[in-house]
Amino acid sequence: MKQNSCKVNEKKTIPGINACKGSILPINPGYKLMAKRNFIDNDKFNELMTHIYAYEGGFSDKKSDLGGRTNFGVTQSTFDYYNKKYNFPLKDVKDITYDEADNVYYKLFYNRSNVNEIDDPLLSLMHFDAAINHGPMNAKKFLKQSGGDVNKYYELRLNHYRKQAQNVEGQNLNYNGWLNRLNKIKSLQDLID
């Protein structure tokens, strides 16, 4: 897939940020990024995680969230699956560490959705985020249907969220949060090109 030219309009350049030069994406002034971690030996993954952790907060156990108990965006069921698959002891997701969360994201979402095969920085983030929110198989389906066009990918995800909010009981309560997260990713497009 083609990579964006990553030319940043001088008026939109954020002090201290050198967009797409030494990093995948510029910082969106609409949210605070976590400091880049280097626990996983993969620069692209580490850069994307600074954005993912901006959306994925600490521990949550909302009744309206189908994922249930969640910490750093990792659900209890996903953490249990990961621990069983890799022969680690089961433990409460409330006690997950960033290192464990990085491993879960890397092995279960980043690798399975083939993010490493995407050159375009914004499409990489959109796709990785989709793998986390919709599952790697749905993310691959969105990527194929979009033909690698970020705007089409955005629309596919938006439609998926709308259907989920309308058709799954109680999920309309989460719609604004999903939309906010998706729009923050899409707004990075204004800082690139």
Side-chain angles (χ1 to χ4, degrees):
M1 297 186 190
K2 290 185 178 180
Q3 186 171 359
N4 283 340
S5 61
C6 289
K7 294 177 184 172
V8 177
N9 181 326
E10 291 298 322
K11 293 178 184 174
K12 294 181 182 175
T13 301
I14 302 163
I17 300 304
N18 205 357
C20 300
K21 187 176 184 182
S23 67
I24 292 175
L25 291 165
I27 293 176
N28 184 329
Y31 60 92
K32 184 178 178 182
L33 296 184
M34 178 180 185
K36 186 175 177 184
R37 296 173 38 79
N38 291 306
F39 179 72
I40 302 291
D41 187 23
N42 182 309
D43 287 339
K44 182 175 184 175
F45 170 80
N46 292 324
E47 187 76 25
L48 290 173
M49 285 308 298
T50 65
H51 292 269
I52 296 301
Y53 283 135
Y55 318 122
E56 299 292 5
F59 181 73
S60 173
D61 191 12
K62 294 180 186 175
K63 290 182 181 181
S64 65
D65 186 348
L66 292 177
R69 296 169 58 81
T70 304
N71 201 3
F72 305 135
V74 177
T75 65
Q76 183 68 60
S77 61
T78 299
F79 194 40
D80 288 346
Y81 172 81
Y82 169 81
N83 284 325
K84 287 177 187 175
K85 180 173 178 62
Y86 295 100
N87 297 314
F88 296 122
L90 295 180
K91 71 182 211 183
D92 193 325
V93 75
K94 192 171 188 176
D95 300 321
I96 194 172
T97 66
Y98 274 114
D99 293 352
E100 289 169 324
D102 281 355
N103 269 315
V104 169
Y105 280 120
Y106 187 70
K107 292 178 179 176
L108 301 185
F109 299 99
Y110 184 85
N111 286 340
R112 288 187 178 175
S113 61
N114 301 330
V115 177
N116 60 311
E117 295 176 10
I118 301 171
D119 292 330
D120 182 287
L122 185 59
L123 184 60
S124 293
L125 179 59
M126 181 73 74
H127 183 63
F128 186 36
D129 188 66
I132 293 164
N133 273 204
H134 309 293
M137 297 310 292
N138 280 326
K140 287 180 179 180
K141 182 178 75 172
F142 296 154
L143 183 62
K144 185 175 182 179
Q145 290 174 344
S146 72
D149 181 292
V150 173
N151 294 317
K152 288 180 185 175
Y153 203 118
Y154 169 86
E155 289 299 325
L156 290 165
R157 289 190 66 191
L158 184 60
N159 288 334
H160 183 86
Y161 283 139
R162 284 181 183 146
K163 287 177 188 173
Q164 194 168 5
Q166 292 170 353
N167 300 327
V168 181
E169 186 177 339
Q171 292 308 289
N172 60 328
L173 299 173
N174 297 317
Y175 181 74
N176 287 337
W178 296 333
L179 189 61
N180 184 39
R181 177 178 178 144
L182 187 58
N183 285 333
K184 283 181 180 177
I185 294 171
K186 179 91 163 57
S187 70
L188 289 171
Q189 192 169 32
D190 293 338
L191 300 172
I192 301 174
D193 294 334

